[in-house]
Amino acid sequence: MLLLIFTMIIAAYLIGSISSAILVCKFLGLPDPRTAGSRNPGATNVLRISNKLTAATVLFLDILKGTIPVWGAYFLKIDALYLGFVGVAACLGHMYPIFFNFQGGKAVATALGTLLPIGFSLGGLLILTWILVVKFSKYSSLAAIVTVSLAPLYVYFLKPLYVYPTLMLSALIIFRHRDNIKRLLKGTESKLTDKM
């Protein structure tokens, strides 16, 4: 079982390392998201430098990167705590992709993907929270921080077995947004005002 868990963790990291933003932008002849906009290879930055359809494609693929390994581990009957490790590995792959010089994104969509196997009701709550915060604040980063902060609470009421794995993911995503938090506090964080 330990070998299976280790294999799933490595596989999750490698899947997470496939940068949807970079590949989609390259395929469409768009600027490298690591050098344009906010320089973050994620769906939000792709929205800044292209359009909603391209950003939605990247978002969907980034979500899949989290869902596939966690769902696979779930069907292999891996314990809840180790499912958390698999999810964290997928997010770390997105943040520090081995295939792209370890220059990755914030893994918000990938983290959402890792939580979807818990239930679509949870996914709906997370998406709704993100949309509401963005609509009222226009800050994508704030929406991500608020959403992942509330995720463990949602999980506690829906499927408390997965609270600890969710806490691991939330802590990782918030840590990755530490620079955004500083900019939000200073009032220098960029908004999504033009395309939302």
Side-chain angles (χ1 to χ4, degrees):
M1 179 58 77
L2 285 177
L3 179 60
L4 176 62
I5 292 169
F6 181 74
T7 301
M8 290 302 301
I9 289 172
I10 296 299
Y13 171 76
L14 293 175
I15 292 170
S17 290
I18 302 170
S19 179
S20 309
I22 296 172
L23 293 175
V24 169
C25 286
K26 186 174 184 179
F27 178 77
L28 295 176
L30 295 168
D32 188 325
R34 293 171 297 180
T35 60
S38 66
R39 297 187 174 89
N40 177 58
T44 300
N45 194 35
V46 171
L47 176 63
R48 287 191 180 99
I49 64 177
S50 62
N51 54 63
K52 290 181 179 180
L53 179 59
T54 304
T57 301
V58 171
L59 179 67
F60 175 72
L61 293 173
D62 282 349
I63 289 172
L64 276 185
K65 291 194 309 184
T67 302
I68 290 171
V70 172
W71 226 323
Y74 175 80
F75 281 114
L76 290 172
K77 309 296 184 184
I78 291 177
D79 290 342
L81 182 62
Y82 296 120
L83 281 176
F85 291 145
V86 171
V88 166
C91 290
L92 285 172
H94 181 89
M95 293 174 180
Y96 309 104
I98 193 171
F99 306 126
F100 297 95
N101 301 317
F102 303 100
Q103 295 178 328
K106 301 293 175 64
V108 176
T110 303
L112 170 62
T114 66
L115 294 173
L116 284 181
I118 294 177
F120 289 112
S121 55
L122 173 62
L125 282 171
L126 295 173
I127 292 169
L128 180 62
T129 301
W130 189 90
I131 290 173
L132 287 174
V133 177
V134 165
K135 285 296 182 184
F136 283 105
S137 72
K138 299 299 182 183
Y139 287 114
S140 175
S141 58
L142 179 62
I145 293 163
V146 171
T147 301
V148 299
S149 297
L150 290 174
L153 181 64
Y154 294 156
V155 172
Y156 176 78
F157 287 110
L158 294 171
K159 286 192 179 178
L161 175 66
Y162 298 105
V163 167
Y164 289 119
T166 306
L167 281 169
M168 286 192 290
L169 282 169
S170 297
L172 179 64
I173 301 301
I174 291 171
F175 174 77
R176 192 71 169 92
H177 280 79
R178 60 193 184 281
D179 290 335
N180 301 88
I181 293 171
K182 292 176 184 176
R183 289 194 294 270
L184 284 166
L185 292 173
K186 292 178 181 178
T188 58
E189 180 76 332
S190 60
K191 291 185 176 183
L192 281 174
T193 54
D194 54 342
K195 295 195 176 185
M196 292 299 292

Tab-separated table of all heavy atoms in Angstrom, residues 139-167:
chain	number	residue	atom	x	y	z
A	139	TYR	N	-11.123	41.398	-7.121
A	139	TYR	CA	-9.798	40.840	-6.863
A	139	TYR	C	-9.856	39.313	-6.974
A	139	TYR	O	-10.461	38.641	-6.134
A	139	TYR	CB	-9.303	41.199	-5.464
A	139	TYR	CG	-8.896	42.641	-5.286
A	139	TYR	CD1	-9.607	43.481	-4.442
A	139	TYR	CD2	-7.776	43.154	-5.934
A	139	TYR	CE1	-9.234	44.803	-4.256
A	139	TYR	CE2	-7.387	44.474	-5.756
A	139	TYR	CZ	-8.116	45.287	-4.917
A	139	TYR	OH	-7.736	46.595	-4.738
A	140	SER	N	-9.205	38.768	-7.986
A	140	SER	CA	-9.156	37.315	-8.145
A	140	SER	C	-8.402	36.662	-6.985
A	140	SER	O	-8.805	35.615	-6.477
A	140	SER	CB	-8.477	36.955	-9.469
A	140	SER	OG	-8.320	35.557	-9.582
A	141	SER	N	-7.314	37.289	-6.573
A	141	SER	CA	-6.504	36.725	-5.486
A	141	SER	C	-7.283	36.697	-4.173
A	141	SER	O	-7.227	35.711	-3.426
A	141	SER	CB	-5.213	37.525	-5.310
A	141	SER	OG	-5.503	38.891	-5.051
A	142	LEU	N	-8.027	37.764	-3.882
A	142	LEU	CA	-8.829	37.800	-2.657
A	142	LEU	C	-9.894	36.711	-2.690
A	142	LEU	O	-10.148	36.046	-1.682
A	142	LEU	CB	-9.477	39.177	-2.494
A	142	LEU	CG	-10.373	39.353	-1.253
A	142	LEU	CD1	-9.553	39.176	0.017
A	142	LEU	CD2	-11.062	40.715	-1.270
A	143	ALA	N	-10.499	36.519	-3.863
A	143	ALA	CA	-11.513	35.472	-4.008
A	143	ALA	C	-10.916	34.100	-3.727
A	143	ALA	O	-11.530	33.263	-3.059
A	143	ALA	CB	-12.106	35.511	-5.414
A	144	ALA	N	-9.708	33.876	-4.228
A	144	ALA	CA	-9.037	32.594	-3.994
A	144	ALA	C	-8.740	32.388	-2.509
A	144	ALA	O	-8.980	31.314	-1.957
A	144	ALA	CB	-7.740	32.532	-4.806
A	145	ILE	N	-8.238	33.425	-1.872
A	145	ILE	CA	-7.869	33.333	-0.446
A	145	ILE	C	-9.111	33.084	0.414
A	145	ILE	O	-9.099	32.224	1.305
A	145	ILE	CB	-7.139	34.622	-0.002
A	145	ILE	CG1	-5.782	34.723	-0.711
A	145	ILE	CG2	-6.955	34.647	1.514
A	145	ILE	CD1	-5.171	36.109	-0.676
A	146	VAL	N	-10.182	33.832	0.163
A	146	VAL	CA	-11.421	33.658	0.925
A	146	VAL	C	-12.000	32.259	0.691
A	146	VAL	O	-12.421	31.576	1.635
A	146	VAL	CB	-12.457	34.737	0.538
A	146	VAL	CG1	-13.820	34.425	1.170
A	146	VAL	CG2	-11.978	36.118	0.981
A	147	THR	N	-11.988	31.824	-0.570
A	147	THR	CA	-12.575	30.526	-0.909
A	147	THR	C	-11.839	29.373	-0.234
A	147	THR	O	-12.467	28.499	0.365
A	147	THR	CB	-12.585	30.322	-2.438
A	147	THR	OG1	-13.341	31.381	-3.045
A	147	THR	CG2	-13.224	28.989	-2.800
A	148	VAL	N	-10.513	29.367	-0.334
A	148	VAL	CA	-9.765	28.260	0.284
A	148	VAL	C	-9.798	28.347	1.808
A	148	VAL	O	-9.677	27.325	2.495
A	148	VAL	CB	-8.306	28.182	-0.217
A	148	VAL	CG1	-8.269	27.940	-1.711
A	148	VAL	CG2	-7.506	29.420	0.161
A	149	SER	N	-9.975	29.546	2.339
A	149	SER	CA	-10.093	29.687	3.796
A	149	SER	C	-11.404	29.089	4.304
A	149	SER	O	-11.462	28.540	5.404
A	149	SER	CB	-10.005	31.161	4.189
A	149	SER	OG	-8.747	31.715	3.852
A	150	LEU	N	-12.460	29.212	3.479
A	150	LEU	CA	-13.768	28.666	3.864
A	150	LEU	C	-13.918	27.189	3.524
A	150	LEU	O	-14.801	26.516	4.062
A	150	LEU	CB	-14.881	29.461	3.175
A	150	LEU	CG	-15.095	30.894	3.668
A	150	LEU	CD1	-16.129	31.607	2.812
A	150	LEU	CD2	-15.528	30.894	5.136
A	151	ALA	N	-13.068	26.679	2.645
A	151	ALA	CA	-13.181	25.286	2.197
A	151	ALA	C	-13.203	24.277	3.354
A	151	ALA	O	-14.065	23.382	3.371
A	151	ALA	CB	-12.065	24.961	1.215
A	152	PRO	N	-12.294	24.370	4.336
A	152	PRO	CA	-12.350	23.403	5.438
A	152	PRO	C	-13.668	23.460	6.218
A	152	PRO	O	-14.155	22.426	6.683
A	152	PRO	CB	-11.173	23.817	6.338
A	152	PRO	CG	-10.241	24.544	5.423
A	152	PRO	CD	-11.128	25.266	4.458
A	153	LEU	N	-14.235	24.657	6.333
A	153	LEU	CA	-15.515	24.797	7.033
A	153	LEU	C	-16.625	24.103	6.242
A	153	LEU	O	-17.447	23.373	6.819
A	153	LEU	CB	-15.846	26.279	7.216
A	153	LEU	CG	-17.155	26.588	7.960
A	153	LEU	CD1	-17.089	26.077	9.394
A	153	LEU	CD2	-17.431	28.087	7.933
A	154	TYR	N	-16.646	24.321	4.928
A	154	TYR	CA	-17.640	23.645	4.088
A	154	TYR	C	-17.504	22.122	4.205
A	154	TYR	O	-18.493	21.404	4.333
A	154	TYR	CB	-17.461	24.055	2.620
A	154	TYR	CG	-17.745	25.502	2.311
A	154	TYR	CD1	-17.169	26.125	1.209
A	154	TYR	CD2	-18.599	26.259	3.106
A	154	TYR	CE1	-17.436	27.452	0.900
A	154	TYR	CE2	-18.866	27.590	2.811
A	154	TYR	CZ	-18.280	28.176	1.713
A	154	TYR	OH	-18.553	29.489	1.425
A	155	VAL	N	-16.255	21.657	4.147
A	155	VAL	CA	-16.001	20.212	4.210
A	155	VAL	C	-16.428	19.653	5.561
A	155	VAL	O	-16.955	18.538	5.639
A	155	VAL	CB	-14.508	19.913	3.924
A	155	VAL	CG1	-14.186	18.442	4.180
A	155	VAL	CG2	-14.154	20.282	2.487
A	156	TYR	N	-16.227	20.425	6.609
A	156	TYR	CA	-16.603	19.973	7.954
A	156	TYR	C	-18.088	19.640	8.024
A	156	TYR	O	-18.490	18.656	8.644
A	156	TYR	CB	-16.240	21.046	8.968
A	156	TYR	CG	-16.687	20.714	10.385
A	156	TYR	CD1	-15.972	19.811	11.165
A	156	TYR	CD2	-17.837	21.295	10.918
A	156	TYR	CE1	-16.388	19.506	12.454
A	156	TYR	CE2	-18.258	20.989	12.201
A	156	TYR	CZ	-17.522	20.092	12.961
A	156	TYR	OH	-17.953	19.782	14.235
A	157	PHE	N	-18.904	20.455	7.377
A	157	PHE	CA	-20.350	20.227	7.418
A	157	PHE	C	-20.814	19.192	6.396
A	157	PHE	O	-21.851	18.548	6.588
A	157	PHE	CB	-21.098	21.545	7.189
A	157	PHE	CG	-21.031	22.481	8.363
A	157	PHE	CD1	-20.290	23.647	8.294
A	157	PHE	CD2	-21.698	22.186	9.547
A	157	PHE	CE1	-20.216	24.505	9.384
A	157	PHE	CE2	-21.638	23.034	10.636
A	157	PHE	CZ	-20.895	24.197	10.560
A	158	LEU	N	-20.063	19.008	5.316
A	158	LEU	CA	-20.473	18.079	4.267
A	158	LEU	C	-19.881	16.683	4.456
A	158	LEU	O	-20.609	15.685	4.447
A	158	LEU	CB	-20.072	18.631	2.893
A	158	LEU	CG	-20.801	19.905	2.468
A	158	LEU	CD1	-20.166	20.488	1.205
A	158	LEU	CD2	-22.281	19.623	2.219
A	159	LYS	N	-18.542	16.609	4.600
A	159	LYS	CA	-17.863	15.316	4.782
A	159	LYS	C	-16.658	15.529	5.688
A	159	LYS	O	-15.528	15.690	5.222
A	159	LYS	CB	-17.435	14.732	3.439
A	159	LYS	CG	-18.578	14.165	2.626
A	159	LYS	CD	-18.065	13.339	1.463
A	159	LYS	CE	-19.234	12.767	0.677
A	159	LYS	NZ	-18.770	11.991	-0.503
A	160	PRO	N	-16.885	15.543	7.009
A	160	PRO	CA	-15.820	15.877	7.953
A	160	PRO	C	-14.583	14.979	7.896
A	160	PRO	O	-13.511	15.368	8.352
A	160	PRO	CB	-16.514	15.761	9.324
A	160	PRO	CG	-17.765	14.990	9.081
A	160	PRO	CD	-18.167	15.267	7.681
A	161	LEU	N	-14.724	13.807	7.299
A	161	LEU	CA	-13.583	12.896	7.154
A	161	LEU	C	-12.437	13.559	6.400
A	161	LEU	O	-11.261	13.246	6.625
A	161	LEU	CB	-14.034	11.629	6.406
A	161	LEU	CG	-12.963	10.602	6.041
A	161	LEU	CD1	-12.373	9.984	7.309
A	161	LEU	CD2	-13.550	9.526	5.145
A	162	TYR	N	-12.771	14.516	5.533
A	162	TYR	CA	-11.755	15.124	4.668
A	162	TYR	C	-11.316	16.514	5.122
A	162	TYR	O	-10.721	17.263	4.347
A	162	TYR	CB	-12.286	15.189	3.232
A	162	TYR	CG	-12.574	13.827	2.651
A	162	TYR	CD1	-13.889	13.373	2.520
A	162	TYR	CD2	-11.543	12.977	2.266
A	162	TYR	CE1	-14.161	12.110	2.004
A	162	TYR	CE2	-11.806	11.718	1.754
A	162	TYR	CZ	-13.115	11.296	1.623
A	162	TYR	OH	-13.368	10.039	1.118
A	163	VAL	N	-11.596	16.854	6.366
A	163	VAL	CA	-11.221	18.181	6.862
A	163	VAL	C	-9.704	18.367	6.876
A	163	VAL	O	-9.189	19.393	6.409
A	163	VAL	CB	-11.798	18.429	8.270
A	163	VAL	CG1	-11.145	19.658	8.903
A	163	VAL	CG2	-13.304	18.636	8.201
A	164	TYR	N	-8.965	17.395	7.390
A	164	TYR	CA	-7.512	17.547	7.492
A	164	TYR	C	-6.832	17.638	6.124
A	164	TYR	O	-5.967	18.505	5.924
A	164	TYR	CB	-6.904	16.427	8.336
A	164	TYR	CG	-7.248	16.552	9.800
A	164	TYR	CD1	-7.965	15.568	10.470
A	164	TYR	CD2	-6.858	17.682	10.523
A	164	TYR	CE1	-8.304	15.700	11.810
A	164	TYR	CE2	-7.187	17.826	11.871
A	164	TYR	CZ	-7.911	16.826	12.503
A	164	TYR	OH	-8.238	16.966	13.831
A	165	PRO	N	-7.205	16.785	5.141
A	165	PRO	CA	-6.638	16.974	3.804
A	165	PRO	C	-6.955	18.347	3.223
A	165	PRO	O	-6.111	18.967	2.564
A	165	PRO	CB	-7.300	15.855	2.984
A	165	PRO	CG	-7.645	14.809	3.970
A	165	PRO	CD	-8.006	15.556	5.223
A	166	THR	N	-8.177	18.834	3.483
A	166	THR	CA	-8.572	20.147	2.968
A	166	THR	C	-7.772	21.260	3.635
A	166	THR	O	-7.394	22.241	2.988
A	166	THR	CB	-10.086	20.379	3.182
A	166	THR	OG1	-10.806	19.292	2.601
A	166	THR	CG2	-10.535	21.675	2.532
A	167	LEU	N	-7.516	21.115	4.914
A	167	LEU	CA	-6.696	22.095	5.632
A	167	LEU	C	-5.290	22.177	5.033
A	167	LEU	O	-4.726	23.271	4.908
A	167	LEU	CB	-6.603	21.738	7.118
A	167	LEU	CG	-7.806	22.114	7.984
A	167	LEU	CD1	-7.691	21.465	9.362
A	167	LEU	CD2	-7.925	23.632	8.123
